[in-house]
Amino acid sequence: MTDDLFTPLGLDAAVASLEKDLVAPDGPSISTMRNHNFAILLYLPAKEYQLRQRVRQMVGRLEADSWAVLRLALHELILDRLEGELGLQGVQELIERERRLYARSPERALKDLQQRMSSYIDGSQGLVEDVAQRIADFRKKHPDAKERTLVLLGRAGALYPFFRSSALLKQLGGRTENVPVVLLYPGERREGGLSFMQELTPDRDYRPRIYA
């Protein structure tokens, strides 16, 4: 009974396991594959705020121990990219267009938005390029912290339903200087795969270690 009271469960256990592997005596060990230093921290979308709190606490402990932690909010990167591609006026026009389409047909509006968003964020020069560039810039600012550098990719729900996060990690391969990169993944394990946002068909094409 005592163990049940003090043994972390669910999300707490997943975060504790991740942190334990990051601070392993021989260096971060979140992956068993060379040159693929990625992991996924899986949580239910309804636990978003709990996830943020637990991650914030973990980051505080790591930074107090001289870690350099880069937190990237994917929704901000997408908005930055859209503004860069379209300008503020163009983004507003895109929003108004989707409102008009939605009033006529929600399905048509979603399909139209998916097509338009894909043209801006897909591919090796899309969102992946933004993430890779920010990691490179961060590494330049912390040249002596390679063994104590962590990259967290959060607010991944903004990718739904435009972009599969499995594609993001695949395309990041070889572009991160092999520092540990952890995707905070809202979804669930189901039918042998991961269902993004508990909505998409489970994707079995994941190589990173999954903390859940």
Side-chain angles (χ1 to χ4, degrees):
M1 180 65 75
T2 302
D3 288 344
D4 290 342
L5 287 174
F6 295 101
T7 301
L9 299 172
L11 183 56
D12 287 337
V15 174
S17 181
L18 171 62
E19 185 173 352
K20 180 181 177 183
D21 286 344
L22 285 169
V23 300
D26 295 329
S29 60
I30 65 168
S31 173
T32 57
M33 293 178 283
R34 290 187 62 186
N35 302 320
H36 194 79
N37 211 3
F38 298 102
I40 288 173
L41 178 58
L42 178 65
Y43 65 98
L44 294 174
K47 300 284 188 180
E48 177 71 37
Y49 289 103
Q50 184 181 353
L51 178 280
R52 292 184 202 174
Q53 181 188 50
R54 300 300 189 270
V55 168
R56 188 164 54 246
Q57 292 168 346
M58 180 186 73
V59 169
R61 291 189 291 272
L62 292 174
E63 289 180 334
D65 196 25
S66 301
W67 279 67
V69 182
L70 173 62
R71 287 163 281 190
L72 291 176
L74 295 174
H75 72 300
E76 291 180 355
L77 295 187
I78 291 174
L79 288 175
D80 288 347
R81 169 159 284 269
L82 287 178
E83 288 184 7
E85 294 279 351
L86 303 173
L88 288 175
Q89 180 64 31
V91 172
Q92 190 59 42
E93 290 173 358
L94 177 63
I95 293 172
E96 293 301 326
R97 172 188 170 83
E98 298 311 316
R99 282 178 176 160
R100 291 195 301 273
L101 286 176
Y102 186 87
R104 282 183 277 175
S105 168
E107 293 78 14
R108 182 182 172 191
L110 178 60
K111 186 175 181 179
D112 181 78
L113 187 59
Q114 283 178 314
Q115 291 175 341
R116 289 174 179 275
M117 291 291 287
S118 293
S119 67
Y120 298 123
I121 65 179
D122 274 354
S124 60
Q125 296 304 307
L127 179 63
V128 171
E129 170 64 18
D130 299 336
V131 173
Q133 187 58 57
R134 280 164 175 76
I135 293 174
D137 292 343
F138 188 75
R139 285 285 303 122
K140 287 179 183 176
K141 293 179 182 176
H142 304 275
D144 300 325
K146 183 172 183 179
E147 298 303 319
R148 288 187 173 221
T149 293
L150 171 64
V151 178
L152 295 171
L153 304 179
R155 304 299 295 273
L159 301 180
Y160 175 82
F162 313 112
F163 193 79
R164 278 197 177 267
S165 48
S166 57
L168 176 65
L169 294 185
K170 274 185 185 176
Q171 294 171 10
L172 271 178
R175 304 179 67 177
T176 64
E177 299 187 38
N178 210 33
V179 297
V181 176
V182 179
L183 173 66
L184 311 181
Y185 185 104
E188 66 177 345
R189 205 193 297 256
R190 192 176 75 209
E191 300 170 19
L194 294 183
S195 171
F196 189 41
M197 296 299 291
Q198 297 181 288
E199 294 286 347
L200 294 184
T201 302
D203 187 350
R204 297 177 178 82
D205 191 17
Y206 279 99
R207 296 171 60 197
R209 179 178 295 177
I210 297 171
Y211 293 88

